[in-house]
């Protein structure tokens, strides 16, 4: 499969090159040249397939012959080493739990798949040169990338995170692994971290001496595997014979955009709801038709504090840059922190279920949509509540027990290098 740049000013590349480069040379995001729907037969019999078999059917056209079947199946098996349960919360509302992986957020799927693709391409390369994955995180990406890439040959990972602005669990997940994973604790905000990473990607001295790449959802190997769990949810809810509506708590809009790709493959999804916190760029766009990026504002659902969602351009591409068509498939609503806290309380009161702040935003968006529409609603529970203890415990007056994968890192010692300026980052990368 070849990929083109959405800026249309760079040559088309193979899956392998799209994965290794991350972003096209014209700074555009890569998009697959074609999308071929899966057979009716596949959907009719999906309940007889294992998750691994489904994932292989879903991803194979996007990889093409660049990873042989046997290796691709191995990559998928290693990626999907945990469950994706759909849990009913109330009538017609279910939670799709995406937090059963090693770092307890949905980003594990994309990060594990991408890391293993890198591992494969590196093993195959005759002139294996070391790749440095450079990534800024507001919390969850760092942990998922650290865990996904741990021990992958030929890859060094450098993670920048804003000092004091990630939760204790998140900090431990990205600072305690050692080996090929290095954490830089930045005296600043997430926006500062991201700006440093962007500067690095444009710094000729660095790009001439290092193979730098990114690991956020602009990378097709992190973005596309996120299609899988929409199929897994369908498999579990198919017997309800109702129209499916997904509400996705959205920040950079990679996750929801993967759901839309699943729909393009023929998955019968009736409608998408993009639920956001007060970083409401997309809800505003759908209302006004004007896309206005803004500096991000800090909220209790901090993994969605994004003021210029990078994958939105892919969403527009999927629907042919046609706003009417887009609106037929997508609604988008924004919610405040107070509304989010109230929703967490309401969910617990109604069903005993404990949602994290991101899942609660998803629940709110779904409720709002279902108020006027009848369907089977699913919100994506994108992280385990333990990752946002400092929000969840006081709001719900509840003690959250640490699952084993959290206990394991929380006892380890943090190792991070403190930096304040771009030059300190550059020196670190060059040494
Ligand atoms: C990253 C993240 C999101 C946002 O996902 P996007 O693909 O960036 O829209 C939502 N919730 C949690 C818990 C996350 O870690």
């Amino acid at each position: 499969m070849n990929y083109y740049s959405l800026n249309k000013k760079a040559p088309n590349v193979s899956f392998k090159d799209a994965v290794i480069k991350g972003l096209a040379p014209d700074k555009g995001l890569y998009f697959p040249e074609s999308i071929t729907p899966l057979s009716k037969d596949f959907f009719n019999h999906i309940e007889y397939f294992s998750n691994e078999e489904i994932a292989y059917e879903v991803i194979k056209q996007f990889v093409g012959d660049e990873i042989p079947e046997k290796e691709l199946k191995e990559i998928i098996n290693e990626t999907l080493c945990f469950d994706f349960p759909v849990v009913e919360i109330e009538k017609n509302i279910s939670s799709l739990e995406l937090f059963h992986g090693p770092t307890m957020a949905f980003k594990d799927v994309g990060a594990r798949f991408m890391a293993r693709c890198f591992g494969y391409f590196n093993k195959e390369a005759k002139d294996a040169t070391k790749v440095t994955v450079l990534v800024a995180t507001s919390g969850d990406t760092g942990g998922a990338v650290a865990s996904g890439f741990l021990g992958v040959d030929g890859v060094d990972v450098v993670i920048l995170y804003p000092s004091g602005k990630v939760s204790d669990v998140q900090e431990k997940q990205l600072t305690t692994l050692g080996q090929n994973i290095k954490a830089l604790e930045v005296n600043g905000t997430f926006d500062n971290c991201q700006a440093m990473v962007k500067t690095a990607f444009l710094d000729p001295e660095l790009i001439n001496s290092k193979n730098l790449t990114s690991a956020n959802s602009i990378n097709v190997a992190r973005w596309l595997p996120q299609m899988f769990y929409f199929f897994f949810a369908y498999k579990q809810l198919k017997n309800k014979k109702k129209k499916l509506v997904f509400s996705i708590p959205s920040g950079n809009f990679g996750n929801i955009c993967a759901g839309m790709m699943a729909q393009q493959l023929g998955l019968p999804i009736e409608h998408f709801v993009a639920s956001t916190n007060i970083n409401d760029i997309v809800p505003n766009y759908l209302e006004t038709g004007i896309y206005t990026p803004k500096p991000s504002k800090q909220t209790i659902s901090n993994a969605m504090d994004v003021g210029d969602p990078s994958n939105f351009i892919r969403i527009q591409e999927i629907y042919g840059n046609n706003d009417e068509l887009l609106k037929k498939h997508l609604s988008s609503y924004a919610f405040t922190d107070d509304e989010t806290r109230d929703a967490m309380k309401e969910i617990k009161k109604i069903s005993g279920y404990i949602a994290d702040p991101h899942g609660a935003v998803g629940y709110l968006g779904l409720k709002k949509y279902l108020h006027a529409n009848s369907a089977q609603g699913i919100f994506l529970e994108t992280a385990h509540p333990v990752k946002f203890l400092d929000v969840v415990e006081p709001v719900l007056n509840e003690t959250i027990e640490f699952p084993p994968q959290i206990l394991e890192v929380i006892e380890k010692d943090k190792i991070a290098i403190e930096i304040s300026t771009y030059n300190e980052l550059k020196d670190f990368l060059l040494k």
Side-chain angles (χ1 to χ4, degrees), residues 105-107 140 249-255 303-304 358 382-383 388:
F106 77 89
K107 293 188 173 75
D140 280 341
S250 295
N252 247 329
F253 282 67
N255 210 3
M304 312 197 293
H358 304 78
T382 46
F388 301 95

Side-chain angles (χ1 to χ4, degrees), residues 23-39:
L23 204 60
D26 63 357
K27 308 286 162 225
L29 272 65
Y30 281 118
F31 197 87
E33 271 184 346
S34 66
I35 304 170
T36 309
L38 303 173
S39 71

Side-chain angles (χ1 to χ4, degrees), residues 150-211:
L150 181 66
V152 173
D153 272 346
V155 184
D156 279 330
V157 176
V158 178
I159 301 167
L160 281 74
Y161 73 98
S163 180
K165 293 188 179 65
V166 303
S167 76
D168 291 345
V169 169
Q170 287 173 329
E171 183 171 43
K172 288 283 177 148
Q173 286 180 327
L174 60 93
T175 57
T176 60
L177 296 182
Q179 296 184 47
N180 57 332
I181 314 295
K182 306 278 182 304
L184 299 181
E185 181 174 2
V186 176
N187 180 14
T189 62
F190 170 64
D191 288 343
N192 297 140
C193 298
Q194 193 141 37
M196 284 190 193
V197 168
K198 281 196 177 142
T199 311
F201 282 115
L202 297 172
D203 187 328
E205 214 182 318
L206 273 181
I207 46 188
N208 288 334
S209 62
K210 291 250 150 196
N211 267 325

Side-chain angles (χ1 to χ4, degrees), residues 243-265:
K243 292 175 177 170
L244 295 188
V245 170
F246 282 92
S247 171
I248 297 102
S250 295
N252 247 329
F253 282 67
N255 210 3
I256 191 167
C257 186
M260 290 164 168
M261 291 293 283
Q263 185 193 43
Q264 298 298 305
L265 289 180

Side-chain angles (χ1 to χ4, degrees), residues 119-161:
Y120 173 77
F121 291 137
N122 250 321
K123 203 169 68 202
E124 292 302 298
K126 287 179 213 72
D127 52 344
T129 38
K130 245 191 163 41
V131 176
T132 302
V133 170
L134 184 62
V135 67
T137 182
S138 60
D140 280 341
T141 296
V145 168
S147 159
F149 280 87
L150 181 66
V152 173
D153 272 346
V155 184
D156 279 330
V157 176
V158 178
I159 301 167
L160 281 74
Y161 73 98

